[in-house]
Each structure stands twice: as C-alpha cells, then as structure tokens.
Amino acid sequence: MTVDETAGVKGICRAIGDELKRARERKKASLADVAKKTKINPKYLQSIEEGDFGFLPEPYVRAFIRAYAQEVGLEPSTMLKPLDRVRERLQEAKPVLPVQHPSGESWVKSLLAKLKALVSRQKHAATLAMGGAAVILALSAIYARNYHTLFGSRTKAAQSPVGQVATGEEAATELRLDMEVVDNTWVQVAADDSTLSDAAYAVGERRSWRARHGFSLKVADAGAIMLTLDGRPLGRLGEKGEELALRIDRTGIVARTGVASKRSVSPVDLEQSAVEQYRGGLRRREL
C-alpha cells in the first residue's frame, strides 16, 4: 500500500479507507457482506471507508481496520503502518520543556513585588498584616525547600539503609507504567486501587499510566503485552495464553497469580466492548 504521508492524518485515513473499499469491490462484496463476516456494525465500516476514524477510541478502530483488511484479503499490518509512522512523527515533534525551578531569591523578589503592588492599591492596615504574613510564609517555604541542600552533608551518615521504606520525597514521586501490546488481548489496570482502564487492546497499541504507589493488573494473555516501569523493562510476565493478576510497586512485580487459560480476544469481542463503552457514555451524558 502506497500512502502519501505528507498529506496529513486526514489524507492518510482517507487513503486507508479508499484502499479497503477498492479491495471490497474487487471481491464483489457489499458492506453488509463484510459486516456479516466480521460482526462489525455496518455504519462503522462506512465511516472507515470514508476516512472518518473518530467514531470510537483508537484501539477499537484499529481492531476494526485489522478485521476488515483480513476479510477483503489485505495485510492488516500494511494498512496500519502509515498511521503508526504518523503517530511516531507527531510524538517526536512534541517539544520536551525542562521543568523550571525558580531560585529562592527570584521567588522572594516576585512575592515582594506583588506585595508592594498590593500595598499601593490597599492602604488598609489589615492588608499590610496579610502581606507581612505572606512574606513570612514564603521565606519559610524557601527554607524548607532548601534544607536538604544546606544541611544534607550533616545527615548523610544517618540515611536509611537499602530496603528501608521510601522517604516522603520518594513516595511523592509518581510511577509511570508503559504497556506495548504484541497481540490482541484484554487488560484491566488499576492505579492505587482506582481502576484506570478495563478494555480490549489490539496489537501495536501503546498505553501509559501513572500512580503514586503502585498498579494492579489483570491480563487475559500474559504473552500479549510488554511492560516498562519508569523506563525499566519488567521482563517476561508469563506464558502465551496465561491469564494473570499482577501487583506492581516501585521495586517491580511484587505479586503474580493466575491460572492457565487460552482465552483470546476476537474482533467480535472488541466491537462488543466498544459498543458497550460507547452506549455507557451516551447514558452518562443523558443523565
């Protein structure tokens, strides 16, 4: 499949839809025929042929394109490669801005300037008292923030040994869990015991989540995903087709339970999940 990637996302989506439509017509099949074979709603197939991929979240649209391509005799990975390349270029083009930490001196100057402007506008004694309190709080915050820099060498010998519970500063640091899907599967992810995702994912998808303390995962196929925690690969999760429940904290995988299962996710499962989530969103908006 030859796609002009300089045409932009809309142009590439339209090219993919046209290619699928031509393949369907070569087989002398109607949209209804493809819908019957793939169990995908005909209106979704129509949207794909028109290059409109915004009717459902990306994982489900990719799964539908994959199933459509297989049905009309095209290679699914070839159909999805243009989208993957465009997404990679868009991610590379995003500027990475460094986190700015203003110095204590500039912070104090800024607060003093604001206080001066406040005093010039409001001459009331109560306003002056509040402004003085703001300066005291600012100086206290600067002292607390720079305590480690000023007195760190004195407390170095008293640092906690390896394996001790993380300090408050470490505990406040967010964990990042990245997932790459290598085969269709179903994954449920909870961060700090709050469910973030419970959905089917198609091969090639990537997702990221953040948590303060850890994650809990349920995976329909342990061999279908690869996980990275703060940039550190977590290694092999389990056997192909093995259903697992995982518990992950900042040290890595701390619990792994499950039983052997050969459950897989078909395009029918993907569509059913997508439709249920879509209808649930409609019901919430109606309320």
Side-chain angles (χ1 to χ4, degrees):
M1 176 183 177
T2 303
V3 175
D4 180 10
E5 296 182 13
T6 63
V9 176
K10 289 185 178 179
I12 290 174
C13 292
R14 187 55 189 248
I16 292 173
D18 290 342
E19 183 72 14
L20 291 168
K21 182 178 181 179
R22 284 193 295 269
R24 174 177 62 79
E25 292 174 344
R26 284 196 297 269
K27 292 191 67 174
K28 297 184 173 15
S30 65
L31 276 177
D33 295 331
V34 178
K36 184 177 180 180
K37 292 290 185 63
T38 61
K39 307 300 182 184
I40 298 175
N41 193 311
K43 71 177 182 180
Y44 295 156
L45 298 177
Q46 179 70 40
S47 295
I48 290 174
E49 287 191 353
E50 293 173 355
D52 178 11
F53 293 176
F55 56 89
L56 280 176
E58 182 185 358
Y60 307 118
V61 177
R62 291 174 63 90
F64 294 167
I65 292 175
R66 180 175 298 277
Y68 191 163
Q70 289 175 339
E71 177 59 29
V72 297
L74 298 177
E75 176 58 40
S77 60
T78 302
M79 302 301 298
L80 292 172
K81 274 183 181 178
L83 284 179
D84 293 335
R85 287 195 290 268
V86 169
R87 182 171 57 180
E88 290 172 359
R89 288 208 307 271
L90 289 175
Q91 291 175 344
E92 292 172 357
K94 291 181 180 178
V96 178
L97 300 178
V99 178
Q100 299 294 331
H101 297 287
S103 65
E105 182 180 358
S106 63
W107 188 19
V108 172
K109 287 182 179 179
S110 175
L111 286 175
L112 290 175
K114 291 180 181 179
L115 176 60
K116 184 178 180 180
L118 179 63
V119 172
S120 65
R121 291 194 303 267
Q122 303 290 338
K123 298 297 185 179
H124 198 276
T127 304
L128 291 174
M130 293 176 62
V135 172
I136 293 173
L137 289 173
L139 293 175
S140 299
I142 294 171
Y143 177 84
R145 190 178 61 177
N146 291 279
Y147 179 86
H148 181 74
T149 302
L150 295 173
F151 304 104
S153 60
R154 301 181 186 179
T155 59
K156 185 174 181 181
Q159 289 180 354
S160 60
V162 177
Q164 187 172 338
V165 177
T167 65
E169 182 179 356
E170 291 172 341
T173 303
E174 283 191 331
L175 298 172
R176 172 170 172 157
L177 182 68
D178 296 297
M179 179 181 74
E180 181 177 356
V181 182
V182 298
D183 199 358
N184 295 347
T185 189
W186 190 280
V187 181
Q188 181 186 80
V189 180
D192 302 329
D193 299 323
S194 296
T195 301
L196 299 180
S197 175
D198 186 355
Y201 293 95
V203 60
E205 294 303 316
R206 292 181 175 86
R207 288 293 305 273
S208 297
W209 299 277
R210 293 185 181 274
R212 291 178 62 84
H213 304 293
F215 301 89
S216 296
L217 280 77
K218 291 183 180 179
V219 187
D221 185 348
I225 64 172
M226 295 188 295
L227 298 177
T228 304
L229 182 66
D230 286 341
R232 174 167 53 92
L234 295 182
R236 185 178 184 182
L237 303 181
E239 299 296 333
K240 177 68 176 173
E242 183 181 4
E243 186 175 357
L244 283 180
L246 304 171
R247 183 71 181 174
I248 299 171
D249 64 12
R250 63 183 63 253
T251 64
I253 299 176
V254 295
R256 189 194 320 251
T257 59
V259 295
S261 173
K262 293 298 181 180
R263 191 172 80 183
S264 61
V265 180
S266 68
V268 181
D269 298 325
L270 290 170
E271 186 201 18
Q272 183 62 32
S273 170
V275 171
E276 289 175 358
Q277 292 189 16
Y278 178 72
R279 288 175 178 171
L282 290 179
R283 287 195 294 270
R284 287 193 295 272
R285 286 196 290 272
E286 289 174 356
L287 295 175

